[in-house]
Amino acid sequence: MALEERARSCLLRLRHKLEQDIKPSYLMDHMMSDGVLSVDEEQRIRTQSTRKDQAVSLIELLLRKDNRAYISFYNALVKEAYDDLANLLHDDLPRLSPDSRKSFADGVTPYVQTVLSEGGVPQRPVVFVSRPELVNRIRDKLYRLQTEPGWVTVFGMAGSGKSVLAAEAVRHHSLIEECFPGGIHWLSIGQLDKPDLLIKIKSLCFRLEQSLDSQHLQRPPNSLDEAKERLRFLMLRRYPRALLILDDIWDSTVLKTFDIHCRILLTTRNRSLTDSVSGAKYEVEVQSGLDENKALEILSLYTETKANRLPDEARSIVRECKGSPLVVSLIGALLKEKPNRWDYYLRQLQKKQFKRIRKSSSYDYDALDQAMSASIEVLPEEHRELYKDLTVLEKDIKIPAKVLSVLWDLDPEEVEDILEEFANKSLLFVDNHSKPYLYYLHDLQLDFLVEQNRNQLESLHAKVVQQYKQHYRDGHPTSGDKECLYWTRFLTYHMAKANLSQELRLLMFSLDWISIKAQIMGPAHLINDYVEYGHILDKENSKERSQFQEFLSLNGHHLEQRPFPDVVQLALSQPHTSEVYKQALLQAQDRARMGQLYFDWLNKSSVQSLSRLVIHPHQGSICSACFSHDGTKIASGGVSKTLKVFKSTSGEKLTEIQAHDDEVLCCAFSPDDRLIATCSSDRKVKVWNVERAMLIRVFDEEHVEQVNHCQFTNTMRPLLLATCSKDDVMNVKLWNLNRPSSQNTMFGHFEPVNHCCFSPDDTYLSTSSNDGTVKLFKVSSANEWKTINVSDVIAENDEDVIVKCSTWSADGKNIICAARNAVLVFDVETSNMLLEIKTNRMSTVQYCHACPTSNLLAIAFSNYAVELWDLESNKKMADCSGHLSWVQRVQFSPDGSQLLSCSDDQTVRLWETKKVHTSSGICLKRDSDVLFTDEEIIICAADNCNRLQVRDGRTGLVLFQSEEKSSRTRCTCLCKKPSAVVLGQEDGTVQVLEVPSGKLLATLLGHTKTVFHCQFTQDGQTLITSSEDTTIRVWSWQSGECKVLRGHEEQVRSFSLISSSPTNTRLLSWSFDGTIKLWDTESGEKLQDIKAHRAAILSGHVSPHGSLLATTSADKSAKLWDCESWQHVHTLGGHRECVRSCRFTWDSRCLATGDDNGEIRIWSVKDGSLLKICSQGSNDMDSLHGGWATDLHFSKDDSLLVSTGGYIKWWDVQKGEALQTFYPTGTALKRIHISSDFSTFITIDNMGILYILQRVV
């Protein structure tokens, strides 16, 4: 609607007077709040050079607008005390309809309410005072995010109302509609550790995914890195124009988690936080105090008194507390109940000295100190003591009333009444959205309590522990409710603060506590406890703490499993000398007496771990670690902003330096180990004296973006330092420490450079860049010598190729670089690629380093792994497992004997590389055989060097090892008499060797393709083999005579003798051609030929009574056959994937079948009915079995069933319930061998590790 003529005439008549008197900037804030002035319009007016010009421009704009704009202008004049001008406009005010007047009151339409409610944006507080100037300033900045992602920072001291302002700023229809149609999503952060931050982001991702189709839903992320990528995908792909509000951010490292190129509004006390992130940045400062009128308005609302009728003490209170919103609210809440105490509360404030509560605080606590004293003193004396108990709470932690019920030894209802009283006096806050209600203190209140009770902190925490022990004397809580969560998380904290070191040790060195806490909280909190309280736990015996910490580090991923694993069983896999193992064995023996199943890994000592030392030097991710040149020291740095130097032998800390203002991205020793260089996201390069921990040089002017890497020359003549950065052009520099500026800048890259590295003789410097190239510069001239275009070699599409790093071979002839999921080796002279190591496509190579003394190459991955490769043979030598998050850096020691790796899991690990060339690089193939006798257990299997190994089954020690075979061994079988072993090879050759001498007894030629299965008859005189060439051969192996059984059309993976009797010559075979065939091995005659399945037959088993045959197939069925009539008896349907395995009970009454979902079914042989499903499968790999169910065996009494898949599981046959699970280091178990008494179990995983498991009794 156009402006009414009367109003227009009034404006024209008063134009000159208005232009002379008004200050447009103040008026426009109100008009923008009413929605009648856009950001662009306000900006155009502000660009006018003088105040009068701005006024002229504003009046011209008003003349073109409607009646709402005139009314808003009038209201702005009233609010800014232009009473005389407002009176002149009043008589010509246009009249609006009720609907239109309502529509622009505050912009809060039902649409806005819905969007904010769905995004978790807090409601307005009950006592709400408008602050339009700040709200519009924030909205102005938010409108800047309309066309591009970026950051709007609202900063100010605690209690200044930042959160309320942020929530109010987005409570605006036009803003949401125009800028953030994807929604507004609120996340309260506070001071979080990584596990809590992960929980927060998980919750946000869950909220965002709720509106997506079920097909787009994914499993919850397991790590912070995975959560960040999930959030990045959701914000960029699903909600590209949504706003994410991060409330109460403290730490730049937390903020970096949200550096995902989206639109973010954040509240914080530290205005410099966004220096560490990329993108457009805007900021709004919130003053620590309200102006007097606003503060008085709060008091008037609390006391329900008009502002102009408040007593004089009201103004004095506001001045005394400097207008702090928090303090004014505290006093207001008190006055609401005692309205006649104005003078009393003013005197309480005036009596207090102004002081800082904590010297390191970035804000003033004066007002809170005064208000808190006044607030607490009005409590009854017994309640004051209860309030003092809240001193023990952690910041930003909300607790249920039941926790305080334990602490105060009061009924929950009584506690709730007391807490309600505290809340009414603004002494604590209530989260009403949670059920049950949660209670928490503001940081300022908590800091006040800590200062007031500093001398009693230890006793207050001891009281918490004592009350807990009294209340839970029968055992720790395990319910998983809010109360249980609090105690599980913070009991160790209270013990540590109470200096109850013995109680803390008993608790944390208990497998029962580990089981409870890991099940409720996950392993991350547990590991963090060992890091945080290590200084207390190590006072008596540091080895015990490291053993428990190592146990959790190596088994954390299992402790994330559901159903939750048996911690005692996991602990039985620890070394025999470990306190963890000793405690587990005692518990296992006690529980075994009550009928529970546990299994001890007998040969674990033969599986040598490369890991020698695990160090937790920092709180937060470790970005870089390096050896000193003499190998005795290690330096590390990361998001903690510190540099630490410690002994490489023990991890003992030698030096700690607060090195930078942001995360330390790289550190490097000088050749003589006297100096360390560091570089950081703060764009600075620093050089330190190691011994004195003294700063020698700072280079802080030339790099304008974060400095990614630094390295000294390998020799002192001359000593130079190379650095590289995210700068677009001047991104590689050489520094002479005697000069204040760089000696040279190396030009060539026009995108960020991630890494730089001197050649062994310091002639060249290699640089690795986001532009997909590695460049080699001559150090002497700083000129580019050559460019290696890595992107041309590995680019599979138009995606950019980022080269992460490069490293030189020991002789300087080759350069090795990392990009995507590959490592590439180039000849330095020709630039030709010599070798490509292609790794798992699901992970990226983070870093690589070549050993200075050998052909070994270490590779760090984003999937938490470290791998060692031999560059000469292009073979992987070892997997170094143990890290729980992304591995950021690897480096060999100067003598090549050790390798260090550092990770986001806050650890530096040392690995002994000498072991790689002995046992750790040797692994067995899964095709194996085991011979159980009364005297011994013999195991045979081929290794990865294609040698046949025969091992002692009780110790795992090698008894015999053959020479390396020219063709890969694919099957093997042992014979008791004569003592021999047979092996079948890929080229079709079959060899029989004497055990233990290894003498070649026979070479049997005839098969033309891979031999898949071999088996001796009972008397050991006949050997039967089957092959990919579709034939079965029956050998009189000592003479070499052979009968060939032909008839199958596809490969024959297995076969079975109908009976073990020497007189029974009938043989059953099954094939991928879907047929079963019965043979007479004596004559070679085919007795039966049955088309059994529509697809490949994957397994078969003859019942112990010899009357039935079971077959399973890729057609998802199992079938039963009568072994006399060869009639089909039953078809067992119901599996949803290939049926991989089968086994009859010893009484032949039941059959178990296992499929590729890990589902195991038990059937009645009599009528083919389904009796039990042991593990419900799904379309994905079943978490109950971790993969295909590949092998099944019953105990002699048919009460127990063991199965293999990703894990080994033991089942109660009657109930169909899992009794125990053993988690191997690797996965994909093929076959398990079992002693007749069901006490010894032997298998090999896909990493080639042998497991000899003995039932604990």
Side-chain angles (χ1 to χ4, degrees):
M1 187 199 319
L3 186 61
E4 284 184 7
E5 193 56 42
R6 278 193 318 145
R8 176 184 295 277
S9 299
C10 182
L11 280 177
L12 290 171
R13 186 172 67 251
L14 299 173
R15 182 173 187 168
H16 179 71
K17 188 171 184 58
L18 291 169
E19 291 171 354
Q20 291 293 329
D21 293 349
I22 65 171
K23 193 169 185 178
S25 57
Y26 293 162
L27 301 176
M28 289 191 294
D29 285 340
H30 299 290
M31 297 173 71
M32 288 180 66
S33 179
D34 288 340
V36 300
L37 199 66
S38 72
V39 175
D40 289 342
E41 289 168 338
E42 188 250 7
Q43 198 65 34
R44 282 198 297 272
I45 293 170
R46 284 187 184 275
T47 57
Q48 301 299 318
S49 56
T50 66
R51 182 205 58 78
K52 185 174 181 181
D53 290 340
Q54 291 177 357
V56 170
S57 184
L58 177 59
I59 300 302
E60 288 178 351
L61 182 63
L62 278 174
L63 290 168
R64 298 195 299 272
K65 285 190 171 285
D66 58 11
N67 293 339
R68 290 174 56 216
Y70 184 98
I71 294 171
S72 178
F73 180 62
Y74 166 80
N75 288 332
L77 290 173
V78 172
K79 290 175 182 176
E80 292 300 326
Y82 292 104
D83 295 340
D84 54 339
L85 295 176
N87 288 333
L88 294 174
L89 295 180
H90 181 269
D91 291 342
D92 295 310
L93 281 171
R95 301 202 179 276
L96 286 175
S97 67
D99 288 343
S100 62
R101 186 181 299 274
K102 180 182 176 181
S103 68
F104 78 97
D106 59 4
V108 184
T109 61
Y111 165 75
V112 171
Q113 291 174 343
T114 301
V115 170
L116 299 190
S117 176
E118 289 176 349
V121 179
Q123 297 289 329
R124 281 176 177 159
V126 176
V127 173
F128 172 73
V129 174
S130 173
R131 300 165 77 179
E133 301 86 355
L134 284 169
V135 168
N136 284 305
R137 211 174 299 158
I138 297 169
R139 285 178 184 161
D140 175 22
K141 306 303 181 187
L142 289 173
Y143 270 105
R144 311 272 180 96
L145 304 184
Q146 184 172 6
T147 56
E148 64 171 352
W151 307 78
V152 174
T153 303
V154 179
F155 68 92
M157 69 168 280
S160 57
K162 301 182 293 294
S163 303
V164 174
L165 288 166
E168 191 62 21
V170 296
R171 203 168 273 118
H172 194 271
H173 188 106
S174 299
L175 178 72
I176 297 174
E177 196 174 56
E178 295 170 25
C179 299
F180 311 115
I184 311 283
H185 303 282
W186 183 283
L187 205 60
S188 297
I189 303 295
Q191 290 178 297
L192 295 180
D193 53 18
K194 274 196 171 184
D196 285 334
L197 181 59
L198 176 58
I199 292 168
K200 291 270 188 183
I201 302 179
K202 274 185 182 178
S203 174
L204 176 60
C205 291
F206 178 81
R207 190 197 306 164
L208 294 171
E209 289 176 336
Q210 290 313 290
S211 61
L212 302 180
D213 296 335
S214 58
Q215 65 187 37
H216 292 112
L217 298 180
Q218 302 183 44
R219 64 169 178 77
N222 289 325
S223 70
L224 206 50
D225 300 304
E226 193 178 335
K228 179 178 179 179
E229 291 307 311
R230 179 77 56 79
L231 185 59
R232 184 199 305 274
F233 172 82
L234 288 169
M235 294 301 288
L236 295 186
R237 300 290 181 86
R238 304 295 181 193
Y239 302 92
R241 294 190 63 199
L243 177 68
L244 184 58
I245 303 179
L246 306 177
D247 186 39
D248 195 21
I249 293 283
W250 283 71
D251 195 345
S252 61
T253 58
V254 171
L255 195 61
K256 285 187 179 180
T257 306
F258 297 95
D259 192 1
I260 54 174
H261 203 64
C262 67
R263 294 159 172 83
I264 291 180
L265 168 64
L266 65 102
T267 68
T268 180
R269 306 174 193 184
N270 183 353
R271 70 184 298 175
S272 64
L273 282 183
T274 52
D275 292 348
S276 63
V277 295
S278 58
K281 298 164 191 173
Y282 311 95
E283 62 183 31
V284 176
E285 181 175 5
V286 179
Q287 297 300 322
S288 58
L290 299 168
D291 65 50
E292 187 174 277
N293 290 334
K294 294 293 183 185
L296 291 174
E297 188 178 348
I298 290 177
L299 291 173
S300 71
L301 289 169
Y302 268 113
T303 58
E304 299 180 351
T305 306
K306 290 186 177 180
N308 59 2
R309 294 188 178 179
L310 290 172
D312 292 340
E313 289 88 349
R315 282 181 169 75
S316 299
I317 287 172
V318 170
R319 294 192 192 106
E320 200 67 34
C321 72
K322 302 177 183 176
S324 165
L326 179 61
V327 177
V328 172
S329 297
L330 285 169
I331 299 292
L334 292 168
L335 288 165
K336 184 175 184 178
E337 292 188 0
K338 307 288 184 181
N340 59 343
R341 291 193 175 182
W342 287 97
D343 182 65
Y344 172 74
Y345 293 131
L346 174 59
R347 281 188 284 109
Q348 293 301 309
L349 285 175
Q350 290 171 335
K351 285 178 184 177
K352 293 294 179 180
Q353 294 290 321
F354 276 37
K355 63 180 181 178
R356 291 183 180 275
I357 287 181
R358 281 193 318 203
K359 193 174 181 181
S360 62
S361 295
S362 59
Y363 47 81
D364 225 333
Y365 280 46
D366 301 347
L368 178 69
D369 180 52
Q370 300 145 18
M372 284 296 299
S373 292
S375 302
I376 294 172
E377 285 176 17
V378 301
L379 293 172
E381 185 174 349
E382 64 272 18
H383 287 184
R384 275 185 240 160
E385 287 300 308
L386 297 179
Y387 192 73
K388 183 169 75 173
D389 287 340
L390 302 183
T391 305
V392 301
L393 299 182
E394 275 263 55
K395 286 187 177 180
D396 300 311
I397 298 301
K398 301 176 181 179
I399 61 170
K402 282 187 177 180
V403 170
L404 296 174
S405 176
V406 173
L407 176 58
W408 294 338
D409 197 19
L410 297 172
D411 291 336
E413 294 79 8
E414 189 176 352
V415 170
E416 288 173 357
D417 291 342
I418 295 169
L419 293 175
E420 185 179 355
E421 179 190 358
F422 291 168
N424 288 339
K425 291 179 169 59
S426 295
L427 286 170
L428 57 71
F429 300 92
V430 187
D431 181 354
N432 296 314
H433 299 294
S434 177
K435 301 296 180 187
Y437 288 172
L438 297 178
Y439 302 87
Y440 60 99
L441 292 175
H442 191 284
D443 287 358
L444 295 175
Q445 296 166 326
L446 192 54
D447 282 337
F448 173 82
L449 284 174
V450 169
E451 182 62 24
Q452 290 290 304
N453 305 301
R454 189 168 295 282
N455 296 330
Q456 302 174 57
L457 286 177
E458 200 169 290
S459 62
L460 288 170
H461 282 283
K463 176 184 176 181
V464 177
V465 177
Q466 184 59 40
Q467 290 297 106
Y468 173 87
K469 290 166 70 175
Q470 174 67 24
H471 190 83
Y472 293 109
R473 51 188 174 274
D474 296 329
H476 300 292
T478 58
S479 60
D481 61 13
K482 295 284 175 49
E483 177 196 7
C484 172
L485 283 172
Y486 179 84
W487 291 118
T488 306
R489 181 177 174 189
F490 289 108
L491 181 58
T492 51
Y493 163 75
H494 292 302
M495 285 182 172
K497 291 292 185 183
N499 200 24
L500 299 172
S501 56
Q502 192 58 36
E503 285 90 338
L504 184 64
R505 287 176 56 81
L506 289 172
L507 182 72
M508 292 185 64
F509 296 155
S510 158
L511 289 177
D512 291 336
W513 174 252
I514 286 175
S515 180
I516 290 169
K517 185 155 186 170
Q519 187 164 2
I520 293 172
M521 305 291 299
H525 279 283
L526 263 171
I527 295 169
N528 188 63
D529 281 351
Y530 287 98
V531 176
E532 188 165 347
Y533 308 125
H535 63 287
I536 301 173
L537 301 173
D538 289 351
K539 285 180 180 177
E540 293 184 27
N541 182 358
S542 62
K543 186 179 292 185
E544 193 170 358
R545 191 266 305 171
S546 65
Q547 289 170 348
F548 274 86
Q549 188 173 323
E550 183 76 2
F551 165 61
L552 287 167
S553 295
L554 295 174
N555 290 279
H557 57 297
H558 294 314
L559 297 174
E560 298 278 7
Q561 299 267 7
R562 292 297 179 271
F564 188 74
D566 188 321
V567 170
V568 171
Q569 179 60 62
L570 286 177
L572 286 172
S573 293
Q574 294 302 291
H576 288 100
T577 56
S578 167
E579 292 298 324
V580 180
Y581 170 78
K582 293 174 183 177
Q583 188 180 138
L585 184 60
L586 290 174
Q587 290 197 27
Q589 289 169 340
D590 287 342
R591 296 178 187 183
R593 295 187 191 102
M594 296 182 288
Q596 290 184 251
L597 289 180
Y598 286 96
F599 301 90
D600 195 1
W601 183 7
L602 298 182
N603 67 313
K604 58 196 166 195
S605 59
S606 66
V607 181
Q608 298 184 35
S609 170
L610 301 179
S611 182
R612 186 180 68 79
L613 183 65
V614 181
I615 307 162
H616 295 256
H618 301 272
Q619 290 295 318
S621 301
I622 302 174
C623 302
S624 177
C626 63
F627 279 108
S628 61
H629 288 262
D630 63 8
T632 62
K633 295 184 284 292
I634 293 172
S636 66
V639 299
S640 66
K641 309 173 189 176
T642 60
L643 169 70
K644 290 194 180 181
V645 182
F646 41 89
K647 291 181 180 178
S648 61
T649 52
S650 64
E652 180 187 343
K653 186 175 73 175
L654 301 173
T655 304
E656 180 174 1
I657 302 169
Q658 289 296 321
H660 286 271
D661 300 325
D662 208 333
E663 59 185 350
V664 179
L665 296 177
C666 185
C667 55
F669 280 96
S670 63
D672 61 2
D673 293 332
R674 288 193 315 107
L675 306 176
I676 294 181
T678 58
C679 59
S680 166
S681 295
D682 66 10
R683 306 181 294 278
K684 297 175 184 176
V685 179
K686 297 184 179 182
V687 181
W688 308 85
N689 179 293
V690 178
E691 189 174 340
R692 292 155 58 193
M694 189 173 75
L695 184 62
I696 303 296
R697 285 278 185 275
V698 180
F699 304 115
D700 59 356
E701 294 184 355
E702 298 193 31
H703 285 300
V704 296
E705 294 288 347
Q706 73 176 33
V707 186
N708 292 322
H709 195 79
C710 60
Q711 190 191 8
F712 282 105
T713 48
N714 296 298
T715 59
M716 294 294 293
R717 298 183 181 177
L719 178 62
L720 295 174
L721 176 68
T723 61
C724 58
S725 72
K726 281 186 75 174
D727 298 309
D728 289 335
V729 179
M730 301 175 67
N731 42 33
V732 182
K733 293 181 180 289
L734 283 179
W735 309 84
N736 184 321
L737 302 191
N738 297 317
R739 300 180 181 179
S741 59
S742 62
Q743 176 171 299
N744 289 109
T745 298
M746 296 174 168
F747 295 97
H749 292 293
F750 294 96
E751 289 191 38
V753 178
N754 302 307
H755 184 270
C756 54
C757 181
F758 287 101
S759 61
D761 61 2
D762 292 331
T763 302
Y764 302 108
L765 181 76
S766 65
T767 57
S768 308
S769 170
N770 285 5
D771 62 15
T773 69
V774 172
K775 291 184 183 289
L776 306 183
F777 293 91
K778 289 186 177 180
V779 174
S780 57
S781 63
N783 291 329
E784 182 181 334
W785 179 47
K786 63 174 56 182
T787 297
I788 299 173
N789 286 301
V790 179
S791 57
D792 292 348
V793 177
I794 67 171
E796 298 169 356
N797 46 44
D798 294 332
E799 291 183 22
D800 294 337
V801 173
I802 295 173
V803 185
K804 291 282 187 71
C805 70
S806 57
T807 180
W808 296 78
S809 60
D811 59 10
K813 293 182 179 179
N814 298 328
I815 188 87
I816 304 134
C817 63
R820 289 188 181 170
N821 64 328
V823 173
L824 303 100
V825 182
F826 293 91
D827 183 281
V828 172
E829 286 296 327
T830 64
S831 299
N832 293 333
M833 187 176 77
L834 305 176
L835 179 65
E836 179 180 14
I837 299 174
K838 201 87 171 185
T839 60
N840 188 333
R841 64 181 179 85
M842 300 303 290
S843 65
T844 58
V845 178
Q846 295 294 99
Y847 202 83
C848 63
H849 188 245
C851 181
T853 59
S854 71
N855 292 315
L856 280 180
L857 176 74
I859 308 174
F861 292 94
S862 62
N863 68 350
Y864 316 167
V866 175
E867 292 182 0
L868 293 178
W869 286 71
D870 187 306
L871 291 174
E872 191 170 0
S873 63
N874 190 20
K875 286 184 178 179
K876 182 166 74 171
M877 302 303 293
D879 288 285
C880 306
S881 58
H883 280 300
L884 297 177
S885 190
W886 288 29
V887 184
Q888 298 293 1
R889 195 68 56 93
V890 284
Q891 188 192 31
F892 285 98
S893 60
D895 64 0
S897 65
Q898 296 183 83
L899 172 75
L900 69 75
S901 58
C902 65
S903 165
D904 285 351
D905 68 7
Q906 306 181 21
T907 67
V908 175
R909 287 178 177 261
L910 268 67
W911 316 84
E912 292 190 58
T913 54
K914 287 180 180 177
K915 293 182 180 178
V916 176
H917 298 293
T918 54
S919 61
S920 62
I922 303 300
C923 54
L924 299 177
K925 298 299 182 183
R926 289 171 292 171
D927 301 296
S928 58
D929 193 28
V930 178
L931 187 63
F932 292 95
T933 67
D934 293 336
E935 303 82 25
E936 59 185 356
I937 301 172
I938 304 296
I939 304 167
C940 67
D943 65 23
N944 62 333
C945 297
N946 215 26
R947 299 170 300 200
L948 184 71
Q949 290 193 12
V950 178
R951 298 196 182 195
D952 184 319
R954 301 198 187 278
T955 64
L957 297 176
V958 176
L959 302 176
F960 155 70
Q961 181 173 283
S962 73
E963 296 297 321
E964 186 174 332
K965 301 297 178 182
S966 58
S967 181
R968 179 184 168 191
T969 299
R970 292 300 300 272
C971 63
T972 184
C973 179
L974 285 162
C975 181
K976 184 177 180 181
K977 290 184 180 180
S979 183
V981 61
V982 62
L983 52 94
Q985 297 175 268
E986 273 191 351
D987 64 1
T989 303
V990 177
Q991 291 187 331
V992 184
L993 306 177
E994 186 179 59
V995 176
S997 68
K999 177 183 176 183
L1000 180 64
L1001 300 180
T1003 298
L1004 309 174
L1005 303 176
H1007 285 299
T1008 58
K1009 292 184 179 179
T1010 301
V1011 181
F1012 283 127
H1013 189 52
C1014 53
Q1015 184 180 337
F1016 286 101
T1017 55
Q1018 184 72 18
D1019 60 9
Q1021 300 304 306
T1022 303
L1023 173 68
I1024 307 170
T1025 59
S1026 66
S1027 169
E1028 188 182 7
D1029 66 10
T1030 74
T1031 68
I1032 302 162
R1033 290 179 177 262
V1034 183
W1035 310 84
S1036 297
W1037 62 270
Q1038 290 168 319
S1039 66
E1041 294 179 8
C1042 172
K1043 290 187 181 68
V1044 183
L1045 310 182
R1046 304 181 190 276
H1048 283 295
E1049 296 177 0
E1050 292 191 44
Q1051 57 183 262
V1052 184
R1053 287 266 172 174
S1054 192
F1055 54 81
S1056 177
L1057 291 163
I1058 289 285
S1059 168
S1060 58
S1061 169
T1063 59
N1064 194 321
T1065 60
R1066 292 189 301 165
L1067 175 80
L1068 277 168
S1069 64
W1070 50 87
S1071 165
F1072 275 24
D1073 63 11
T1075 66
I1076 307 167
K1077 301 188 192 300
L1078 179 67
W1079 313 86
D1080 186 311
T1081 57
E1082 193 70 35
S1083 64
E1085 180 186 356
K1086 180 165 54 177
L1087 304 176
Q1088 293 288 339
D1089 191 345
I1090 305 165
K1091 181 62 179 175
H1093 289 272
R1094 301 189 310 275
I1097 299 177
L1098 302 178
S1099 72
H1101 187 229
V1102 177
S1103 65
H1105 293 170
S1107 58
L1108 292 171
L1109 168 69
T1111 57
T1112 69
S1113 170
D1115 65 10
K1116 305 179 184 179
S1117 72
K1119 293 185 178 182
L1120 290 175
W1121 309 86
D1122 187 296
C1123 288
E1124 290 300 324
S1125 66
W1126 294 106
Q1127 294 298 307
H1128 171 231
V1129 179
H1130 297 300
T1131 296
L1132 310 177
H1135 285 288
R1136 288 173 290 177
E1137 291 294 339
C1138 300
V1139 188
R1140 182 71 50 180
S1141 55
C1142 62
R1143 183 73 56 171
F1144 283 99
T1145 53
W1146 289 95
D1147 62 10
S1148 300
R1149 293 180 177 180
C1150 299
L1151 177 77
T1153 56
D1155 69 18
D1156 286 0
N1157 269 337
E1159 181 182 279
I1160 297 167
R1161 293 177 174 234
I1162 300 177
W1163 311 83
S1164 166
V1165 168
K1166 182 179 180 180
D1167 58 11
S1169 61
L1170 178 65
L1171 301 177
K1172 291 289 178 187
I1173 298 179
C1174 291
S1175 56
Q1176 283 294 139
S1178 63
N1179 290 330
D1180 300 318
M1181 288 294 188
D1182 191 333
S1183 63
L1184 286 174
H1185 224 304
W1188 299 349
T1190 54
D1191 201 4
L1192 303 163
H1193 291 270
F1194 286 95
S1195 60
K1196 283 289 186 181
D1197 63 1
D1198 293 330
S1199 65
L1200 301 174
L1201 170 70
V1202 65
S1203 60
T1204 58
Y1207 327 126
I1208 308 171
K1209 296 190 79 71
W1210 288 264
W1211 306 88
D1212 182 313
V1213 175
Q1214 190 70 29
K1215 298 178 180 178
E1217 296 174 355
L1219 299 174
Q1220 193 52 270
T1221 303
F1222 179 84
Y1223 296 92
T1225 304
T1227 184
L1229 304 169
K1230 255 190 181 180
R1231 187 179 177 192
I1232 191 164
H1233 307 273
I1234 300 165
S1235 61
S1236 58
D1237 61 358
F1238 213 66
S1239 66
T1240 305
F1241 304 82
I1242 298 172
T1243 189
I1244 301 169
D1245 69 17
N1246 65 339
M1247 290 177 62
I1249 298 175
L1250 172 67
Y1251 300 89
I1252 304 171
L1253 306 179
Q1254 180 75 46
R1255 183 172 175 177
V1256 175
V1257 293

